[in-house]
PDB file of all heavy atoms in Angstrom:
ATOM      1  N   LYS X 371     118.031 160.757 113.832  1.00 93.00           N
ATOM      2  CA  LYS X 371     117.586 160.367 115.198  1.00 93.00           C
ATOM      3  C   LYS X 371     117.473 158.865 115.370  1.00 93.00           C
ATOM      4  O   LYS X 371     117.919 158.151 116.304  1.00 93.00           O
ATOM      5  CB  LYS X 371     116.318 161.114 115.657  1.00 93.00           C
ATOM      6  CG  LYS X 371     116.638 162.595 116.009  1.00 93.00           C
ATOM      7  CD  LYS X 371     115.343 163.459 116.199  1.00 93.00           C
ATOM      8  CE  LYS X 371     115.625 164.783 116.387  1.00 93.00           C
ATOM      9  NZ  LYS X 371     114.419 165.638 116.074  1.00 93.00           N
ATOM     10  N   ALA X 372     116.883 158.294 114.346  1.00 95.00           N
ATOM     11  CA  ALA X 372     116.697 156.809 114.370  1.00 95.00           C
ATOM     12  C   ALA X 372     117.969 155.973 114.413  1.00 95.00           C
ATOM     13  O   ALA X 372     118.048 155.009 114.907  1.00 95.00           O
ATOM     14  CB  ALA X 372     115.811 156.365 113.139  1.00 95.00           C
ATOM     15  N   TRP X 373     119.067 156.599 113.697  1.00 96.00           N
ATOM     16  CA  TRP X 373     120.351 155.963 113.728  1.00 96.00           C
ATOM     17  C   TRP X 373     120.849 155.679 115.021  1.00 96.00           C
ATOM     18  O   TRP X 373     121.538 154.655 115.194  1.00 96.00           O
ATOM     19  CB  TRP X 373     121.263 156.744 112.753  1.00 96.00           C
ATOM     20  CG  TRP X 373     122.611 155.949 112.753  1.00 96.00           C
ATOM     21  CD1 TRP X 373     123.759 156.269 113.330  1.00 96.00           C
ATOM     22  CD2 TRP X 373     122.847 154.686 111.951  1.00 96.00           C
ATOM     23  NE1 TRP X 373     124.703 155.294 113.084  1.00 96.00           N
ATOM     24  CE2 TRP X 373     124.176 154.344 112.364  1.00 96.00           C
ATOM     25  CE3 TRP X 373     122.041 153.797 111.224  1.00 96.00           C
ATOM     26  CZ2 TRP X 373     124.732 153.090 111.796  1.00 96.00           C
ATOM     27  CZ3 TRP X 373     122.626 152.668 110.790  1.00 96.00           C
ATOM     28  CH2 TRP X 373     123.913 152.315 111.021  1.00 96.00           C
ATOM     29  N   ASP X 374     120.536 156.549 116.000  1.00 96.00           N
ATOM     30  CA  ASP X 374     121.174 156.521 117.311  1.00 96.00           C
ATOM     31  C   ASP X 374     120.828 155.127 117.896  1.00 96.00           C
ATOM     32  O   ASP X 374     121.706 154.471 118.430  1.00 96.00           O
ATOM     33  CB  ASP X 374     120.497 157.537 118.172  1.00 96.00           C
ATOM     34  CG  ASP X 374     121.128 157.678 119.496  1.00 96.00           C
ATOM     35  OD1 ASP X 374     122.350 158.058 119.542  1.00 96.00           O
ATOM     36  OD2 ASP X 374     120.593 157.338 120.497  1.00 96.00           O
ATOM     37  N   GLU X 375     119.569 154.696 117.719  1.00 95.00           N
ATOM     38  CA  GLU X 375     119.203 153.374 118.264  1.00 95.00           C
ATOM     39  C   GLU X 375     119.724 152.208 117.673  1.00 95.00           C
ATOM     40  O   GLU X 375     120.161 151.230 118.130  1.00 95.00           O
ATOM     41  CB  GLU X 375     117.570 153.331 118.278  1.00 95.00           C
ATOM     42  CG  GLU X 375     117.066 152.310 119.203  1.00 95.00           C
ATOM     43  CD  GLU X 375     115.531 152.390 119.237  1.00 95.00           C
ATOM     44  OE1 GLU X 375     114.981 153.517 119.322  1.00 95.00           O
ATOM     45  OE2 GLU X 375     114.961 151.265 119.213  1.00 95.00           O
ATOM     46  N   ILE X 376     119.867 152.202 116.341  1.00 96.00           N
ATOM     47  CA  ILE X 376     120.403 151.177 115.504  1.00 96.00           C
ATOM     48  C   ILE X 376     121.950 150.907 115.831  1.00 96.00           C
ATOM     49  O   ILE X 376     122.475 149.912 116.171  1.00 96.00           O
ATOM     50  CB  ILE X 376     120.345 151.435 114.015  1.00 96.00           C
ATOM     51  CG1 ILE X 376     118.822 151.540 113.614  1.00 96.00           C
ATOM     52  CG2 ILE X 376     120.998 150.360 113.203  1.00 96.00           C
ATOM     53  CD1 ILE X 376     118.517 152.071 112.251  1.00 96.00           C
ATOM     54  N   SER X 377     122.677 152.170 115.942  1.00 96.00           N
ATOM     55  CA  SER X 377     124.046 152.134 116.115  1.00 96.00           C
ATOM     56  C   SER X 377     124.352 151.746 117.593  1.00 96.00           C
ATOM     57  O   SER X 377     125.485 151.082 117.868  1.00 96.00           O
ATOM     58  CB  SER X 377     124.498 153.574 115.786  1.00 96.00           C
ATOM     59  OG  SER X 377     125.807 153.836 116.361  1.00 96.00           O
ATOM     60  N   ARG X 378     123.538 152.102 118.507  1.00 95.00           N
ATOM     61  CA  ARG X 378     123.823 151.838 119.925  1.00 95.00           C
ATOM     62  C   ARG X 378     123.968 150.370 120.112  1.00 95.00           C
ATOM     63  O   ARG X 378     124.633 149.894 121.029  1.00 95.00           O
ATOM     64  CB  ARG X 378     122.664 152.368 120.710  1.00 95.00           C
ATOM     65  CG  ARG X 378     122.997 152.706 122.173  1.00 95.00           C
ATOM     66  CD  ARG X 378     121.700 153.223 122.852  1.00 95.00           C
ATOM     67  NE  ARG X 378     121.559 154.662 122.591  1.00 95.00           N
ATOM     68  CZ  ARG X 378     122.093 155.631 123.385  1.00 95.00           C
ATOM     69  NH1 ARG X 378     122.789 155.281 124.374  1.00 95.00           N
ATOM     70  NH2 ARG X 378     121.961 156.958 122.999  1.00 95.00           N
ATOM     71  N   ASP X 379     123.151 149.565 119.518  1.00 95.00           N
ATOM     72  CA  ASP X 379     123.086 148.139 119.822  1.00 95.00           C
ATOM     73  C   ASP X 379     123.776 147.242 118.638  1.00 95.00           C
ATOM     74  O   ASP X 379     123.320 147.461 117.544  1.00 95.00           O
ATOM     75  CB  ASP X 379     121.548 147.793 119.905  1.00 95.00           C
ATOM     76  CG  ASP X 379     121.397 146.269 120.174  1.00 95.00           C
ATOM     77  OD1 ASP X 379     122.047 145.800 121.178  1.00 95.00           O
ATOM     78  OD2 ASP X 379     120.587 145.722 119.406  1.00 95.00           O
ATOM     79  N   LYS X 380     124.822 146.577 118.988  1.00 94.00           N
ATOM     80  CA  LYS X 380     125.583 145.791 117.978  1.00 94.00           C
ATOM     81  C   LYS X 380     124.650 144.818 117.159  1.00 94.00           C
ATOM     82  O   LYS X 380     124.906 144.810 115.964  1.00 94.00           O
ATOM     83  CB  LYS X 380     126.680 145.109 118.696  1.00 94.00           C
ATOM     84  CG  LYS X 380     127.624 144.243 117.824  1.00 94.00           C
ATOM     85  CD  LYS X 380     128.569 145.056 117.031  1.00 94.00           C
ATOM     86  CE  LYS X 380     129.682 144.318 116.357  1.00 94.00           C
ATOM     87  NZ  LYS X 380     129.227 143.476 115.228  1.00 94.00           N
ATOM     88  N   ALA X 381     123.759 144.118 117.855  1.00 96.00           N
ATOM     89  CA  ALA X 381     122.884 143.263 117.182  1.00 96.00           C
ATOM     90  C   ALA X 381     121.911 144.010 116.030  1.00 96.00           C
ATOM     91  O   ALA X 381     121.852 143.469 115.010  1.00 96.00           O
ATOM     92  CB  ALA X 381     122.006 142.496 118.170  1.00 96.00           C
ATOM     93  N   GLN X 382     121.527 145.074 116.552  1.00 96.00           N
ATOM     94  CA  GLN X 382     120.665 145.916 115.604  1.00 96.00           C
ATOM     95  C   GLN X 382     121.461 146.372 114.454  1.00 96.00           C
ATOM     96  O   GLN X 382     120.971 146.432 113.365  1.00 96.00           O
ATOM     97  CB  GLN X 382     120.008 147.022 116.363  1.00 96.00           C
ATOM     98  CG  GLN X 382     118.673 146.809 116.993  1.00 96.00           C
ATOM     99  CD  GLN X 382     117.939 148.107 117.103  1.00 96.00           C
ATOM    100  OE1 GLN X 382     117.667 148.851 116.130  1.00 96.00           O
ATOM    101  NE2 GLN X 382     117.560 148.455 118.288  1.00 96.00           N
TER     102      GLN X 382
END
Side-chain angles (χ1 to χ4, degrees):
Chain X
K371 288 174 183 157
W373 180 254
D374 189 68
E375 201 175 316
I376 299 168
S377 157
R378 198 179 281 273
D379 179 49
K380 179 75 168 68
Q382 271 206 56

